[in-house]
């Protein structure tokens, strides 16, 4: 079986690829640094599983997953991301992902997730699965989140968590001007007038957790 690991950070990507090769020697692990590269590689050779990062330069991990699943409905996608916000997890699952876990997971958890998804099962990191179950029993997804694009939601979460605009630009490989434009559009769409109001709204929506 072969796996395509999609992550724009070379050191991180190569590290996890090496880890999987050691722990799962029967697997062939290929790498892609962007959504565009992933689409190209899948066109050349269809993998049994795509391990997808959320934040990618250019086409986001969500949009890449949607395009891959539209082209190949049976393709299995496992999100492996630093993001643990429930709205982003829900969007990943809605895009057709078979699983989701965070990069805080132990190597054994990643291996277990890969094995289960390859076997045709769903896999969601236990803490996230519990939060999703509790949240779905309490309330529906805020409709204001549903009207955002994938990139808007990603930037909204990062801004609400207090990530500086310059850092967002660097992590998403976009310009600071583009981040500023997104912030302006988000304020208009969410009807807030300041960054502070945006942060409070993020807390109210559940995309940011306040330490107790």
């Amino acid at each position: 079986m072969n796996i395509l690991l999609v992550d724009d950070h070379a050191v991180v990507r190569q590290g996890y690829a090496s880890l999987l090769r050691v722990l799962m020697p029967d697997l062939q692990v290929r790498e892609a640094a962007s959504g565009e590269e992933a689409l190209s590689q899948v066109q050349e050779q269809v993998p049994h599983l795509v391990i997808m990062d959320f934040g990618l330069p250019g086409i986001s991990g969500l949009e890449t997953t949607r395009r891959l699943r539209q082209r190949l409905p049976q393709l299995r996608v496992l999100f492996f991301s630093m993001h643990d916000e429930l709205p982003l997890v829900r969007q990943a699952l809605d895009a057709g992902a078979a699983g989701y876990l965070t990069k805080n997971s132990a190597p054994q958890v990643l291996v277990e997730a890969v094995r289960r998804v390859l076997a045709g099962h769903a896999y969601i990191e236990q803490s996230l699965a519990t939060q999703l179950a509790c949240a779905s029993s309490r309330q529906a997804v805020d409709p204001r989140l549903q009207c955002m694009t994938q990139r808007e939601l990603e930037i909204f979460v990062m801004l609400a968590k207090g990530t500086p605009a310059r850092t967002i630009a660097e992590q998403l490989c976009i310009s600071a001007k583009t981040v500023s434009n997104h912030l302006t559009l988000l304020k208009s769409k969410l009807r807030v007038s300041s960054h502070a109001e945006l942060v409070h709204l993020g807390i109210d929506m559940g995309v940011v957790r306040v330490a107790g």
Side-chain angles (χ1 to χ4, degrees):
M1 290 188 172
N2 66 83
I3 289 177
L4 178 60
L5 179 59
V6 188
D7 195 302
D8 60 316
H9 294 94
V11 174
V12 174
R13 184 182 68 250
Q14 293 168 11
Y16 283 117
S18 297
L19 178 68
L20 288 170
R21 292 184 183 110
V22 170
L23 298 179
M24 306 181 74
D26 294 337
L27 293 180
Q28 175 189 355
V29 182
R30 294 184 293 135
E31 302 175 35
S34 67
E36 291 88 344
E37 187 178 344
L39 292 170
S40 176
Q41 287 206 36
V42 170
Q43 190 168 5
E44 295 176 4
Q45 181 183 6
V46 179
H48 294 90
L49 170 66
V50 176
I51 300 178
M52 184 73 68
D53 192 13
F54 202 104
L56 297 172
I59 305 174
S60 70
L62 281 171
E63 181 58 27
T64 302
T65 297
R66 286 195 175 94
R67 295 188 188 187
L68 288 173
R69 293 274 300 169
Q70 287 174 356
R71 186 187 306 171
L72 301 163
Q74 302 305 314
L75 183 63
R76 311 288 289 174
V77 178
L78 170 66
F79 268 84
F80 187 46
S81 170
M82 66 177 182
H83 292 293
D84 63 355
E85 294 81 14
L86 293 190
L88 300 186
V89 177
R90 287 193 184 99
Q91 284 218 348
L93 299 176
D94 289 344
Y100 197 109
L101 73 160
T102 67
K103 290 180 179 177
N104 291 325
S105 303
Q108 295 82 358
V109 175
L110 173 60
V111 170
E112 176 64 16
V114 169
R115 286 177 174 158
R116 287 187 62 82
V117 174
L118 281 172
H121 304 292
Y123 187 96
I124 301 175
E125 186 175 324
Q126 184 174 356
S127 61
L128 295 178
T130 300
Q131 292 178 57
L132 285 170
C134 293
S136 63
S137 67
R138 292 197 306 266
Q139 59 184 5
V141 178
D142 192 301
R144 289 171 293 185
L145 295 176
Q146 296 177 327
C147 72
M148 292 185 192
T149 66
Q150 294 81 25
R151 181 48 57 90
E152 285 175 344
L153 179 58
E154 191 171 13
I155 291 176
F156 171 55
V157 169
M158 297 177 80
L159 287 169
K161 291 171 72 174
T163 307
R166 179 171 295 183
T167 302
I168 295 174
E170 291 173 353
Q171 291 184 358
L172 300 182
C173 296
I174 58 179
S175 69
K177 176 65 174 177
T178 299
V179 175
S180 177
N181 290 341
H182 276 295
L183 176 56
T184 299
L185 289 172
L186 282 168
K187 286 179 179 177
S188 175
K189 184 175 288 189
L190 296 173
R191 298 180 182 178
V192 298
S193 58
S194 69
H195 198 154
E197 287 183 50
L198 187 145
V199 172
H200 286 302
L201 187 60
I203 295 171
D204 292 340
M205 288 181 170
V207 302
V208 178
R209 292 193 296 275
V210 179

